[in-house]
Each structure stands twice: as C-alpha cells, then as structure tokens.
C-alpha cells in the first residue's frame, strides 16, 4: 500500500462555547492517498466543515484539537502557526461554498493573486506573479484581461473559478473543497466539477470533497466517508458505500435523497442531535430503527466489513 | 467605464452634484432664518421690543421690507458672489461680515482639522488593535479608554491639559491662538500652512505648538467614538469570509488584518468619520471657549448674544459650505476605498 | 383556474443618485455610440411568460437562480405589481386589481416560502403565527380560532398542538418551522398554494417528509400548487407538469414525465444532463453549455440561450456583443491572443451596438477588414454565418449581423417548446 498523504487518527475537535464544548469532530480516523479523491458527506452541522478547517489549521482560537493528523509524515496537530501558514496555499489548499463572499471586494483579482504568491515567495516580482495568475486563470476559461477587475464584476461561477485558480496556483498536494458547488446552478456546478477533475488528473493532486450532495460525490470521488454528529460512521469505496451501505444512517441518507430515479419518498425519523450533549454510545441510536440495548450502552467499534469498507455499527454484519 | 470602476468619472459627477446640494442647503438656511419664524428680528429679541434703530438697520441690511422672492434672489446672488452684508451687532457694527468671518475661520479650520487628525489616528489605531485582538486584556483596556474618553467633558480635559502641560511643565502654550508680530506672512490665514509656504520651519513648529493642546483635547474626546466604531467594524471583518479565505491561502495574519480586515472596516467608518467631522465644528465651540481661541464658533455665540442677524446668517452659510465640502470629500474617499460605488 | 398571459415584470436597477447622474452624463458624452449603458437600466426579470394551471394540478416552475421563477410567483400573488400581462385567477384578472380588491382574493391563494426561519416572526408564538390569517381575514372569535389552529397543526404533523402552540420559532427545528409555515398557509383553506423552494433550505433527511406532507394536503383538500424549484429531481417527483424557465422566458413546458423522458429544448437537455446522480460509475454529462446565464439587464437578442446553445443556428439572434465575446474567448489561447493583439485590437476596442459591432481604425482600414475576415473564418459556424456584411466606411470597420428569426412557443411532441429547431 502506498503511504497516505493525509492520515487522521482519533482526531477530535471541540469548539469552546459559553454553553460548553461542542464536539464537532470526534475520534475521526481515515487515510487519504496521493492523487485520490475522498468525499465527506453528511447533514448540516455534522462536522464536515470543521474537519476541513482542522486540516488547514483554520479553527478559531481556544478550540481543542486532539489526536493525530499527519500530512506527508508531518504532524499537523499543534504545528507552529508560522509553519502551518507556509503549508497553507503551498501544500494544502481550501475552497469554500460561497464564492460571492470569499473574495475581498476592495481588491482586484490581480491583487489577490499577487498577495497569495508573494506570501509564499517574497522575492517574486509583481509582474511575474501576474503572469502566473494569467496562466492559471486562462486554463479556467477566464481571459487575463479580467485580472484588473474587481470581484463584484464576476458571476458566481466565475468567482468560484477564480477561487480555485488561486487555490491551485502553487500546486498544492491536497485540495480541500468545502461544498464548492452548493450555491451554484447545476450547469455551472458540472463545469466546476469538471475543472476539479481535470486538476486532479493533471497535477496528481488529492481532493477532499466535502458536500451534502450525494450525486456530486458519486460523480467525482473514489471513496466516500459518511459523517453523523461528529463521527465518521462509514467509509469505503464509492461503489460499495452507495450500492451496499452498511451503517443504518448511510442507508437512511441514501434512501431519503431525492434524485432523478426517486419513485417513493423515504426519510429518517427525528433529527440530528446537538453536539453540546450528543447521545451516548452510538450517536445514531435515538433515530435508528435497528437500535437495541447494546447501542445505547456501548460505542460501536469500527470494523472493516469488506476490503477498505469500514463502518461503526454493532450490527453491521446483518446489513452485509 | 460601463464595467464600473471609474473613480475619475465618479469624482467629477460628485463634484457636479455638490452644486445643487449647496443650493438646497443654502435655501434651507434662508427658509429657517427668514421665512419660517415670522419676523427674525423680533424672534432674536425673544419677545422684548428691540430699539427702533436696530430694527431699521436689520430691515434695510437684510432687505426684509421686500417680498420673499426678491429677498431670496439677492440672498443667493450675495452668497455666491461673497457679499454677506455688513454686521448690525454691537461688536462689529458696520464691518463686512465676510471680512470678520475670514479673519476667524482659519483658527477654527486649523482646530477642526488638527482634532480630526488626532481623533482618527488615535481612534483607528486603538480600534484596529482592539478589534483584531478580541477579548484580550489589550482589547478590554482600549474599550475602557473609549468609554471614558467618550464621557469626559471637553472643559475638564482642556483644563487638565492646560494645567499639566501649559502651567506645571510649561512645555506648550496653555491657551489662545498664536498672536504677535512674528506670525507668518498671511496667505491662507492658516498659520501652519503659511509658515510652510514661507519655508519657515521654526515658525511652523511654533504654530503647531499652539495647536497641540486644543487639538489633543477635542481630538481625544472624539476619538472614543471612533475607537468604538472601528473596533465594531473590525470584529466583523477579521472573521469575514474573505479574511478566512486569505488565511487559507497562507497570507500572513498581519497582512490579513492590515489589508483585508482594515480596509473593509474603513468602508462604513468613512461615512461616520465625515458625520463626526461635521459635528466636530459644534464641539469646536466649547474648545474655542476653553482655550480662548477666536474662531467662528465663538463668533456665532457672540453674534447670537449681540443679536447680529447678518453675522449669524453669514456664519451659518459658511457652515453650510463646509458641510457640502466635507460630504464631497467623504464620498470621494469612500469611492477610493470601495470600487463598488464608483461609476 | 390560474391563467397567466404574457406576464412581464421589470425592475429598475438600484443605484445611487451619483451613479444615476454619472451614467446619464457618460451616456450624454458618448452620444449613444453603444448600448452598453442604458440610462435607466431595468432588469427583465420576467419577460413574456404564459402558463395555465388547472384545479388540483401541480405545475413546477423550474430553472436556475435568477431565471425569474420567484418573481413570477410573487407577481401571481400580487406581492409585486406586474409591468404588463394578465393574471386570471378563478376568473378575475389580478394584474390590474386594486390592493383593496386583492384583499378579498388573498385568502384563496397562499405562499410557502423557501426560508422557514425568516418566514416566522421570532416574537410570535407558533400558534399565534398560524392563526394570524384567520383573525385578519375572517374575524373569528379567539376560541374558535384556537380550535381551528389546533386542527391544522395536527394536520401538518405539529403535535401535540397544545404543547407547540405556545412555543417560539427559535424552539423548533427547521422542518417543524416549515410545517408551521404550511399550516399558516392552509388555515384559510385556499385553493392555490405557491410553494417557493419549500424544501431547499431543509436537510435531506427532512425534505422527503415535507414533500410528503404537501402531497398529502393536496390530495386531502384538492389544493393546486405552483411549485417553484431549481432542483430537477424534486420537480420530477412532485410535479404533474413543468415549465422550464430561462432568463425570464419559459422555454419548454408540458407534462413532467414527457419532458424528463425526452427533453426537446437544448437548454432543458443541458439542464437535465447536468444533474449529478448518486449512482457511482455513471458517465458524466458531455458537452456542457459554456459560460453562465447572462445579465437580465440586457438579455441576448433572439433566443436568449443562443450564446450558450450547443446547436444554435445562424438565425438564433447573433449580434454585436457575441463578436466581442468571441474575441474574448480567443484571448484564452496565448497564440490567438498574440495575433489578435496586433491585428484586431483588444476586445474592449470594439463597440457593440445592437446588431452591429464596429471599431475605428485610423491608418489602415483594409488591414483591419482583412483581419476581421480571417478571424471570422475561424469562428463557430452559427456566428460566422449570421454575419450579413462587413462594412468599411467613415474610418471604421463594422460587422453587421442578420435579424433574428422571430421565436414563439410551438407544440412539439405533446408539449410546447420555444426554439427555432422546431
Ligand atoms: N466557531 C464555532 N464555535 C462553536 N461551534 C461551532 C463553530 N463552528 C461550528 N460549530 C458547531 O460545530 C458543529 C459542526 O459544524 P460544521 O460547520 O463543521 O458542520 P457542517 O457539517 O459543515 O455543516 P453544514 O453542512 O451546515 O456546512 C455544529 O454544531 C456547529 O454549530
Ligand atoms: S450501532 Fe445500533 S443504533 Fe447505532 S447504527 Fe448500528 S444498529 Fe443503529
Ligand atoms: S432557438 Fe433553439 S437552437 Fe437556437 S439558440 Fe435557442 S435553443 Fe438553440
Ligand atoms: Mg459546512
């Protein structure tokens, strides 16, 4: 097996709030291989974005991060801020859901690029930086004449292209994309996904794609992880997880997703718990139709039910 | 141009629009001073019957015996050609209103601009520091400063400064505008500028020295408000989406604060700054009193007590012009910072 | 039941006084040499939309953001005044009705908004919010209102109603809030419900239940829905008929099953093909339309989809701007960019004005004309063939395009399509 590019072991992220710690990511473990694309799916508030921010070291001050997160062998948990800053943009990149607000409205696109490139290479001249910017932008279908424009002069899809161009201009090894197409229309979404795919192929970059859209994951990812209430409840090759889901939550999520082939409506009863006081043992038990006493008493172990297909459910075997 | 970021086109348009704005304001002044409260002369005397001669003077000088549109016409042409009439009060009777005002105006302008510099420097620096270090002891300290300074009376702070720096330490002249024979040759009337124009640094130093205490007093009192506004604005912009995105690209925190957070925080602040500058002219009255500076704030107060109708009108017209100028500068500053409001 | 004819809604573009004056000045200086800066720009949000809705039917208005779905809905409810057109609702034309007369109609038509959090007043309890329309429109006694409120709350699944009646919106989940919004909408027993993206803001696991509720209520009360969504999968499942909107026009409308089985309009085809499907291994959509939905302030001439249409014809509405866009595209390739820089000039040097695009060339008109011809020869066929003449006179080179063929909805295979292919 190749060495993992990114490897999380028992990663925990607890936000500090007045009402106590919010356990947004709890004992999450996974490996991400070079050049691979891994999807992370789950409903609102399950901790997907938190996971992404933890990888980039962008959590708010006073957030408790525990466990291990190794990137190319380097431990990211408690990495010195200056070292982390250098990794960001150069090795690790992040793009966000809402391209409309992610660009500074007072700066031209050129200034954005120059700033980014100069942050990693102080000796780079402004013209050289602009040249590199023009090249990446062109590859995303934006002519260089638009470098001098301000963000408000671009449409949503264009802005997301610019964000991606800026994220990959330094050829990072890992791109974390947090709902990159959620606020875009389907045609533009498809265009953006195509760009992400092409980048991964041509740069050999790994992609961690965070989304709640199962269709997007199915189109782009090799593997997928399912999060529920801060836990990674299932992870495995895309075809296995989608066609033969093991965890009852994954089953419910797939069944309740409305897609072009939907013929009957299904849903999961109840709603996700508060992460201030998540249910003990299996966090899904209050909503799980298969729950039994053991689910309320003991936290299920992660078990590899098929090669590379891991789930955390006491009765996983029953669903094989 | 159609793409929407021509600063020049914006500035020119704004300049053109300043003219109707001035006309509207001047008309408002005319209405308030002459038309609305009935007979302005009697109103000034507050119910008591003024001496016959005074009423006559005023009537003639202001043309009150004529129909309103004739008054309005001559008022407007007068204002735009710099003829503001002659004083009818005891202090300056018979003197040209414009001459009196232009004698006093520079003092107030120096005070106002000086205080504004103090207020914005102090306010912006403290606000940025506090806003980017939320809930640290430094933030708590600055918030405390903002509140205290905001409630301190100008008199009191002015007196303390006079006492400490002027009398005990003797570092700075405690009060009064610079007078005497060695003032720089008059060009603009602003001593600082005139000294620089004459290329005389020692006199410039002296002019500044006279300004320090009054400007510090008024500036510090006003800075409290700036501190609070800038801090509140910074709190939003340091955690804004674009700031977070910049961090994600590895932009150093200092630059995120200085470029993204700070400049975006300025957008709402500039408008407030302009408003404050206008209000500052009111605050200047108190400061002029405390430091016995003969500015137009004092002049306005004196004209009211001496029932000098033409002088009051002249000062208010000047205020109107100043407000138009400030709003022009503020709008153009705003457009310089924010490309979205350009043309 | 609802019959909308040639509905138009135009909004003036918001701008500051300075911008308004400035634009007028710039325009004055340029003397109409360009159609780029209309003095009083309007957004053509809805531009000639017609559809009919029978009792008990669910019509889906489907399209990308900004295509005019919500505006159409709001105009139907007279939440905004249409610029022109007719809105016949149960025999009355709402388009010209006074606000007062509308009050009598309002109880018959209700809306369910996209954002349940914003639709409920945080200072009102759930019960108060739901019974509010009853108290306003029917003037019933308090006790009676409460009873009716309990009944609808049960009906929408807000139970037990006694407990929830006095709760505030903040205490409810998103799904529950949406139920409350639906309860408020049906308490007056309306005949038409406009549902504007009713599940878009909800989590996947809750969506199905809300949709189920809507379908259930329809069956029980014989409701009619105008269902607005950008999610094709939801539209496919819920709607009897759908109308696909693009940039203020309906481009295709007909039975949902038919359209999804075999879309006819090139835009509908592209839209359906682009929807990601949670089915690993399925091949990705090929040949996506380029670019994005253009600005509704100056919608493209002719067929509004023509700049993006993969199968466009020379008659689809090509105009001056498209030539400038084509020059922009050539900038993406360093090779052609370099050639154009010297021979054609920057795209911004060209001024588009309606069907014409022109550029002044002082020294050498012939060379410029020659360059334009060679660049056009490489242009996509529909654009190239739409050029009627290249005019060299008065110190400038002008490229002229043909008038677009008039477009109108035509019946095609059991539906109506607005496209020159048919
Ligand atoms: N800065 C913060 N302080 C405290 N709690 C936070 C903070 N950011 C997020 N949370 C909480 O952490 C949990 C996980 O949030 P996160 O944003 O990671 O979820 P998500 O899966 O990305 O959701 P979505 O799909 O809505 O984007 C939520 O309960 C959220 O309220
Ligand atoms: S462990 Fe029990 S409660 Fe949890 S998912 Fe499995 S069966 Fe359901
Ligand atoms: S009319 Fe039809 S073929 Fe022509 S551009 Fe429009 S959609 Fe394409
Ligand atoms: Mg998120």
């Amino acid at each position: 097996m190749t060495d993992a590019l990114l490897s999380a072991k028992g990663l925990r992220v607890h936000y500090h709030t007045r009402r106590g710690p919010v356990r947004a990511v709890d004992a999450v473990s996974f490996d991400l291989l070079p050049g691979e694309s891994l999807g992370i799916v789950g409903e609102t508030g399950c901790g997907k974005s938190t996971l992404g921010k933890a990888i980039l070291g962008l959590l708010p001050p006073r957030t408790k991060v525990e466990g291990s997160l190794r990137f190319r062998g380097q431990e990211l948990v408690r990495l010195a801020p200056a070292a982390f800053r250098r990794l960001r943009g150069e090795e690790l990149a992040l793009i966000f859901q809402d391209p409309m607000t992610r660009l500074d409205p007072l700066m031209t696109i050129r200034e954005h690029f120059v700033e980014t490139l100069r942050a990693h290479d102080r000796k780079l001249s402004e013209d050289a930086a602009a040249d590199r910017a023009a090249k990446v932008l062109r590859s995303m279908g934006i002519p260089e004449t638009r470098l001098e424009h301000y963000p408000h002069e671009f449409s949503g899809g264009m802005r997301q292209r610019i964000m991606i161009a800026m994220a990959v201009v330094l050829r990072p090894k890992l791109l974390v994309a947090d709902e990159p197409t959620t606020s875009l229309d389907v045609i533009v979404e498809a265009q953006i996904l195509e760009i992400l795919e092409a980048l991964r192929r041509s740069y050999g970059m790994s992609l961690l794609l965070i989304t709640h859209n199962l269709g997007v994951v199915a189109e782009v990812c090799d593997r997928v992880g399912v999060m529920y209430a801060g836990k990674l409840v299932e992870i495995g090759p895309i075809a296995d997880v989608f066609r033969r889901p093991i965890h009852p939550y994954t089953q419910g999520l797939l069944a309740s997703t409305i897609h072009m082939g939907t013929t009957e409506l299904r849903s999961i009863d109840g709603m996700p718990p508060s992460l201030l006081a998540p249910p003990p043992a299996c966090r899904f038990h209050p909503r799980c139709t298969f729950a039994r006493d053991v689910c309320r008493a003991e936290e299920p172990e992660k078990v590899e039910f098929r090669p590379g297909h891991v789930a955390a459910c006491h009765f996983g075997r029953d669903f094989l | 141009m159609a793409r929407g970021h021509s600063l020049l086109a914006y500035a020119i348009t704004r300049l053109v629009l300043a003219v109707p704005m001035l006309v509207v304001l001047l008309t408002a002044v005319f209405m308030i001073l002459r038309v609305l409260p009935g007979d302005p002369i009697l109103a000034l005397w507050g119910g008591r019957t003024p001496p016959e001669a005074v009423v006559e003077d005023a009537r003639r000088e202001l043309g009150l015996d004529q129909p309103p549109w004739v008054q309005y016409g001559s008022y407007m042409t007068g204002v735009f050609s710099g003829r503001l009439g002659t004083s009818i009060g005891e202090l300056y009777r018979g003197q040209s209103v414009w001459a009196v005002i232009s004698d006093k105006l520079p003092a107030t302008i120096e005070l106002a601009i000086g205080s504004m510099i103090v207020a914005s420097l102090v306010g912006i620096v403290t606000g940025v520091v506090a806003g980017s270090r939320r809930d640290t002891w430094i933030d708590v300290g600055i918030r405390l400063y903002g509140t205290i300074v905001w409630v301190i009376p100008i008199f009191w702070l002015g007196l303390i400064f006079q006492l400490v720096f002027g009398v005990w330490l003797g570092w700075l002249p405690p009060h009064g505008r610079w007078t005497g024979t060695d003032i720089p040759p008059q060009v603009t009337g602003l001593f600082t500028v005139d000294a620089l124009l004459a290329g005389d640094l020692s006199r410039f130093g002296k002019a500044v020295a006279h300004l320090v205490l009054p400007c510090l007093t008024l500036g510090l009192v006003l800075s409290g408000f700036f501190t609070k506004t800038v801090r509140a604005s910074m709190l939003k912009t340091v955690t804004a989406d674009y700031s977070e995105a910049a961090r994600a690209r590895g932009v150093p925190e200092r630059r995120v604060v200085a470029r993204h957070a700070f400049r975006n925080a300025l957008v709402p602040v500039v408008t407030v700054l302009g408003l404050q500058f206008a209000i500052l002219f009111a605050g200047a009255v108190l400061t002029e009193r405390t430091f016995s500076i003969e500015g137009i704030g004092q002049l306005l107060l004196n004209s009211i007590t001496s029932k000098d109708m033409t002088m009051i009108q002249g000062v208010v017209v000047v205020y109107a012009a100043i407000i138009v100028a400030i709003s022009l500068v503020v709008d153009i500053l705003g457009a310089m910072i924010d490309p979205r409001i350009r043309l | 039941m609802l019959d909308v004819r040639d509905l138009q809604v135009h909004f003036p573009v918001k701008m500051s006084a300075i911008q308004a004056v400035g634009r007028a000045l710039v325009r004055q200086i340029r003397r109409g040499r360009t159609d780029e800066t209309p003095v009083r720009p309007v957004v053509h949000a809805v531009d000639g939309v017609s559809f009919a809705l029978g009792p008990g039917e669910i019509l889906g208005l489907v399209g990308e953001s900004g295509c005019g779905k919500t505006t159409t809905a709001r105009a139907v409810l007279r939440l905004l005044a249409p610029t022109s057109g007719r809105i016949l609702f149960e025999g009355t034309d709402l388009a010209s009705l006074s606000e007062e007369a509308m009050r009598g109609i309002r109880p018959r038509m209700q809306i369910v908004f996209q954002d349940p959090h914003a639709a409920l007043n945080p200072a009102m309890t759930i019960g108060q919010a739901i019974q509010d329309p009853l108290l306003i429109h029917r003037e019933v006694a308090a006790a009676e209102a409460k009873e009716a409120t309990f009944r609808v709350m049960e009906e929408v699944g807000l139970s037990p109603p006694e407990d929830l009646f006095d709760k505030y919106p903040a205490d409810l989940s998103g799904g529950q809030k949406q139920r409350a919004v639906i309860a408020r909408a049906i308490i007056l027993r309306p005949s038409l419900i406009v549902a504007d993206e009713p599940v878009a803001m909800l989590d996947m696991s809750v969506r199905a239940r809300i949709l189920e509720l809507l379908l259930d209520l329809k069956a029980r009360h014989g409701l009619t829905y105008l269902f607005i969504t950008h999610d094709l999968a939801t539209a496919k499942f819920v709607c009897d008929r759908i109308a696909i909107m693009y940039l203020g026009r309906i481009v295709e409308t007909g039975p949902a099953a038919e359209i999804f089985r075999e879309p006819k309009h090139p835009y509908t085809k592209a839209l359906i093909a682009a929807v990601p499907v949670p089915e690993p291994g399925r091949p990705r959509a090929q040949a996506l339309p380029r670019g994005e939905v253009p600005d509704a302030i100056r919608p493209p001439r002719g067929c509004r989809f023509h700049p993006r249409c993969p199968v466009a014809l020379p008659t689809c509405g090509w105009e001056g701007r498209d030539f400038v866009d084509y020059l922009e595209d050539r900038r993406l390739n360093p090779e052609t960019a370099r050639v154009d820089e010297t021979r054609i000039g920057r795209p911004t040097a060209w001024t588009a004005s309606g069907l014409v695009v022109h550029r002044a060339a002082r020294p050498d008109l012939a060379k410029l004309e020659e360059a334009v011809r060679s660049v056009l020869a490489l242009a996509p066929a529909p654009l190239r063939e739409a050029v009627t003449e290249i005019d060299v006179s008065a110190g400038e080179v002008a490229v002229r395009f043909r008038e677009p063929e008039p477009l109108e909805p035509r019946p095609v295979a059991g539906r109506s399509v607005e496209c020159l292919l048919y």
Side-chain angles (χ1 to χ4, degrees):
Chain A
M1 189 176 138
T2 9
D3 272 350
L5 179 75
L6 180 79
S7 166
K9 292 254 172 338
L11 183 69
R12 279 174 215 277
V13 180
H14 294 186
Y15 287 113
H16 172 91
T17 69
R18 283 207 189 125
R19 291 155 62 205
V22 171
R23 299 193 239 173
V25 170
D26 222 346
V28 163
S29 307
F30 64 88
D31 281 346
L32 178 62
L33 305 181
E36 179 189 41
S37 76
L38 172 66
I40 299 285
V41 297
E43 291 171 273
T44 294
C46 70
K48 308 181 296 287
S49 298
T50 305
L51 178 63
K53 286 183 189 171
I55 295 170
L56 272 281
L58 289 173
L59 294 163
R62 300 172 81 180
T63 305
K64 213 162 85 188
V65 186
E66 282 169 1
S68 154
L69 193 56
R70 296 185 85 79
F71 174 73
R72 304 178 91 190
Q74 186 177 17
E75 180 57 58
L76 297 184
V77 174
R78 271 183 288 283
L79 181 66
F84 222 139
R85 179 190 76 71
R86 245 168 284 124
L87 281 185
R88 286 198 287 268
E90 223 165 290
E91 305 260 324
L92 299 164
L94 177 60
I95 52 174
F96 303 85
Q97 168 174 352
D98 30 22
M100 302 312 265
T101 57
R102 292 291 173 178
L103 289 161
D104 186 335
L106 310 184
M107 276 170 50
T108 61
I109 302 311
R110 177 197 172 93
E111 286 170 318
H112 276 91
F113 271 98
V114 170
E115 172 182 66
T116 307
L117 288 163
R118 285 265 194 92
H120 296 278
D121 178 4
R122 259 187 254 171
K123 287 187 293 275
L124 192 70
S125 79
E126 215 173 283
D127 286 341
D131 273 353
R132 285 180 70 173
K135 218 167 136 206
V136 217
L137 277 181
R138 234 185 276 128
S139 72
M140 311 252 159
I142 298 175
E144 63 182 276
T145 43
R146 305 214 59 183
L147 267 177
E148 306 299 335
H149 287 203
Y150 286 94
H152 72 271
E153 299 169 82
F154 294 89
S155 61
M158 290 271 227
R159 289 193 213 187
Q160 195 60 297
R161 284 167 201 241
I162 294 168
M163 293 303 298
I164 295 175
M166 252 185 309
V168 302
V169 67
L170 287 161
R171 301 280 177 96
K173 301 281 174 302
L174 169 63
L175 176 65
V176 179
D178 188 355
E179 311 257 13
T181 58
T182 302
S183 61
L184 304 173
D185 291 317
V186 276
I187 293 177
V188 181
E189 171 173 71
Q191 294 167 349
I192 296 289
L193 294 179
E194 208 159 76
I195 288 178
L196 288 178
E197 266 298 281
L199 282 172
R200 193 160 69 92
R201 269 198 310 274
S202 56
Y203 296 176
M205 180 180 76
S206 299
L207 179 67
L208 187 76
L209 181 72
I210 295 169
T211 178
H212 65 263
N213 188 329
L214 297 175
V216 168
V217 170
E219 301 222 327
V220 177
C221 298
D222 308 325
R223 287 196 303 143
V224 60
V226 181
M227 279 187 80
Y228 180 76
K231 296 272 186 193
L232 188 67
V233 296
E234 178 159 5
I235 186 168
I238 190 97
D240 280 347
V241 175
F242 273 64
R243 300 222 177 89
R244 299 182 288 174
I246 295 172
H247 198 280
Y249 175 66
T250 313
Q251 297 176 22
L253 191 65
L254 283 163
S256 64
T257 298
I258 300 164
H259 53 88
M260 292 299 233
T262 301
T263 49
E264 78 178 305
L265 292 174
R266 297 235 252 133
S267 53
I268 308 175
D269 279 335
M271 51 174 196
S274 152
L275 294 181
L276 276 166
C282 175
R283 288 189 178 179
F284 188 54
H285 81 247
R287 304 175 72 187
C288 181
T289 43
F290 308 102
R292 281 180 241 165
D293 285 345
V294 58
C295 307
R296 286 176 271 269
E298 276 171 50
E299 175 152 4
E301 294 276 326
K302 291 195 178 94
V303 179
E304 185 162 357
F305 289 97
R306 296 188 187 101
H309 190 172
V310 176
C313 170
H314 288 300
F315 303 102
R317 218 151 282 292
D318 299 353
F319 305 117
L320 282 180
Chain B
M1 201 158 289
R3 280 203 318 268
H5 47 81
S6 169
L7 184 55
L8 186 66
Y10 179 90
I12 292 171
T13 313
R14 186 58 190 79
L15 204 63
V16 171
L17 281 178
V19 178
M21 185 174 166
L22 187 62
V23 170
V24 168
L25 259 183
L26 288 175
T27 307
V29 169
F30 175 82
M31 302 281 269
I32 290 165
L33 288 185
R34 308 229 197 159
V35 181
L36 290 183
D39 190 325
I41 311 296
L42 295 179
L44 258 185
W45 282 82
R48 282 167 301 131
T49 323
E52 196 64 30
V54 173
V55 179
E56 276 304 296
D57 264 6
R59 289 261 145 83
R60 205 183 41 254
E61 197 48 53
L62 290 167
L64 289 183
D65 38 7
Q66 273 154 18
W69 59 89
V70 177
Q71 287 183 44
Y72 180 71
S74 56
Y75 161 83
M76 277 300 194
T77 46
V79 168
F80 277 103
S81 56
R83 283 181 281 113
L84 294 171
T86 43
S87 164
I88 52 170
E90 289 135 43
L91 279 170
Y92 307 101
R93 187 183 299 275
Q95 294 185 35
S96 148
V97 166
W98 177 237
V100 176
I101 290 179
S102 52
D103 183 39
K104 317 257 175 204
L105 190 58
T108 304
I109 289 184
E110 276 191 329
L111 174 62
I113 292 181
S115 315
M116 201 60 199
I117 292 173
V118 172
S120 31
L121 272 183
V122 174
I124 287 175
V125 169
T126 52
V128 167
V129 169
S132 58
R133 290 183 178 68
R134 183 180 198 166
D135 293 336
T136 57
W137 61 267
I138 228 177
D139 176 31
V140 174
I142 288 175
R143 267 150 72 190
L144 202 66
Y145 161 84
T147 312
I148 291 174
V149 164
W150 179 231
V151 297
I152 275 185
I154 290 182
F155 293 113
W156 190 80
L157 188 65
L159 283 174
I160 298 278
F161 278 168
Q162 288 177 345
L163 211 60
V164 175
F165 297 102
V167 180
W168 294 347
L169 298 173
W171 289 350
L172 295 162
H175 52 69
R177 200 174 187 230
W178 185 12
T179 47
T181 46
D182 60 339
I183 56 171
Q186 181 160 356
V187 183
T188 59
L190 306 168
F191 292 159
T192 40
V193 177
D194 286 350
L196 284 181
L197 286 179
D200 187 339
L201 281 183
S202 78
R203 284 201 227 173
F204 175 71
K206 209 160 167 191
V208 171
H210 276 85
L211 279 173
V212 171
L213 288 186
C215 291
L216 214 53
T217 306
L218 186 52
L220 285 184
V221 169
L222 288 172
S223 73
F225 183 71
F226 286 169
T227 303
K228 284 167 185 286
T229 323
V230 174
R231 176 180 177 273
S233 197
M234 281 294 289
L235 285 185
K236 288 201 203 93
T237 55
V238 280
T239 53
D241 283 354
Y242 44 80
S243 298
E244 196 188 18
R247 285 185 196 105
R249 295 193 299 270
V251 176
E253 186 61 28
R254 290 178 63 124
R255 194 179 153 91
V256 172
V257 170
R259 279 289 290 204
H260 300 277
F262 174 60
R263 289 216 306 170
N264 278 283
L266 274 189
V267 172
V269 168
V270 169
T271 322
V272 181
L273 226 72
L275 269 176
Q276 281 294 306
F277 196 44
I279 294 169
L280 179 144
F281 275 89
V285 177
L286 289 174
T287 320
E288 286 173 11
R289 264 259 152 106
T290 314
F291 288 90
S292 29
I293 295 170
E294 297 259 320
I296 61 165
Q298 291 266 61
L299 178 62
L300 182 62
L301 284 187
N302 291 338
S303 328
I304 291 172
T305 31
S306 70
K307 322 267 185 283
D308 190 344
M309 192 61 201
T310 38
M311 191 62 81
I312 296 175
Q313 178 182 294
V315 174
V316 175
V317 162
V318 168
Y319 274 139
I322 289 173
I323 286 174
V324 170
I326 291 173
S327 79
L328 173 68
V329 171
V330 164
D331 278 352
I332 292 179
L333 265 182
M336 278 167 71
I337 299 175
D338 190 347
R340 287 165 297 185
I341 60 179
R342 296 176 200 165
L343 279 181
Chain C
M1 172 171 180
L2 179 68
D3 189 7
V4 174
R5 285 278 146 251
D6 294 322
L7 181 68
Q8 277 199 338
V9 186
H10 294 177
F11 299 112
V13 175
K14 281 198 201 78
M15 49 182 169
S16 68
I18 300 172
Q19 285 172 330
V21 172
R23 290 208 177 172
L25 289 179
V26 168
R27 169 88 173 183
Q28 206 54 46
I29 293 163
R30 291 193 167 182
R31 271 305 134 65
R33 271 177 52 81
T34 157
D35 55 4
E36 262 192 313
T37 41
V39 177
R40 241 174 252 100
V42 291
V43 180
H44 300 249
V46 176
D47 220 3
V49 155
S50 306
F51 60 87
L53 186 53
E57 205 179 17
I58 305 184
L59 172 68
L61 278 186
V62 183
E64 298 175 279
S65 57
C67 70
K69 314 179 289 279
T70 298
T71 309
T72 306
R74 297 181 76 91
V76 164
L77 292 169
R78 273 299 303 276
L79 295 176
L80 48 82
T83 310
S84 70
R86 281 190 311 155
I87 303 164
L88 284 177
F89 174 67
E90 294 180 336
T92 322
D93 186 2
L94 306 185
S96 50
L97 226 50
S98 71
E99 200 38 56
E100 206 136 312
M102 267 314 289
R103 273 184 60 84
I105 309 259
R106 287 255 144 84
R108 312 276 310 134
M109 47 202 309
Q110 291 288 318
I111 184 163
V112 174
F113 292 103
Q114 168 172 11
D115 186 355
H117 314 284
L120 293 169
N121 180 344
M124 260 178 157
T125 68
I126 294 302
Q128 284 169 343
I130 296 174
Q131 69 181 4
D132 200 39
L134 211 52
L135 299 176
I136 294 174
H137 286 284
R138 293 280 153 76
E139 292 165 7
V140 295
E144 207 180 317
K146 191 156 183 173
E147 200 180 308
T149 308
F150 277 9
R151 243 180 293 128
V152 281
M153 284 175 75
E154 288 277 12
E155 216 175 321
V156 300
L158 284 175
S159 58
E162 304 81 44
D163 291 354
L164 290 167
F165 191 91
D166 291 319
K167 289 250 160 67
Y168 284 90
D171 305 324
L172 267 59
S173 72
Q176 281 178 309
K177 279 187 228 179
Q178 197 60 302
R179 284 173 196 271
V181 172
I182 293 171
R184 185 176 61 183
I186 62 166
I187 195 164
L188 290 172
R189 300 291 169 222
S191 51
L192 173 70
I193 295 222
V194 175
D196 187 0
E197 306 259 14
V199 295
M201 304 272 287
L202 303 176
D203 247 320
M204 214 32 105
S205 66
V206 197
R207 276 187 197 181
R209 261 175 288 158
I210 297 294
L211 289 179
E212 226 156 36
L213 172 65
L214 287 171
L215 292 176
D216 181 51
L217 289 172
K218 173 194 127 109
R220 204 139 16 114
H221 301 293
L223 293 171
T224 305
Y225 287 121
L226 183 58
F227 193 95
I228 292 158
T229 182
H230 70 273
D231 182 28
L232 284 123
T234 307
K236 182 175 179 194
F237 185 79
V238 171
C239 302
D240 303 321
R241 286 195 308 126
I242 58 168
I244 307 279
M245 285 191 76
Y246 184 77
L247 211 54
R249 304 276 304 176
I250 291 178
V251 294
E252 177 162 6
T253 177
E258 286 299 304
I259 292 184
F260 279 103
R261 193 175 50 78
E262 202 202 347
K264 289 288 185 198
H265 195 283
Y267 175 67
T268 318
K269 282 185 190 166
L271 204 56
I272 291 176
V275 177
V277 177
E279 217 179 87
R282 178 181 160 274
R284 186 88 61 62
Q286 297 297 311
L288 293 162
R290 351 169 297 116
E292 284 165 73
V293 186
D295 198 349
I297 295 175
R298 298 183 307 130
R301 196 172 284 257
C303 171
R304 294 177 178 205
F305 188 53
H306 82 254
R308 307 174 70 196
C309 182
V311 291
L313 310 168
T315 47
C316 287
W318 301 96
E319 56 187 320
R321 289 190 254 163
D322 296 312
F323 180 75
V324 180
D325 286 347
Y326 168 59
L327 291 184
E328 289 269 0
D329 275 354
R330 286 176 53 90
R331 289 262 147 186
L332 291 176
N333 180 337
E335 197 64 34
T336 47
R338 192 147 25 77
V339 175
D340 285 6
E341 180 75 35
T342 48
R343 296 179 59 209
I344 294 277
R346 311 208 148 198
T348 46
W350 289 83
T351 312
S353 165
L355 289 171
V356 188
V357 58
H358 52 92
R359 183 191 167 182
R362 286 288 111 70
D364 209 341
L365 277 178
K367 237 189 203 150
L368 183 59
E369 187 200 348
E370 160 71 35
V372 168
R373 283 188 194 284
S374 69
V375 161
L376 267 177
L378 297 168
L383 176 73
R384 169 167 30 97
E385 288 162 19
V387 174
T388 50
E389 64 173 320
I390 298 172
D391 194 18
V392 186
S393 63
E396 59 176 32
V397 173
V399 181
R400 220 171 285 276
F401 290 89
R402 55 166 297 159
E403 283 287 344
E405 196 125 308
L407 253 184
E408 58 190 33
R410 293 206 185 87
V412 181
R415 76 204 74 180
S416 156
V417 182
E418 190 176 84
C419 168
L420 291 178
L421 290 178
Y422 302 100

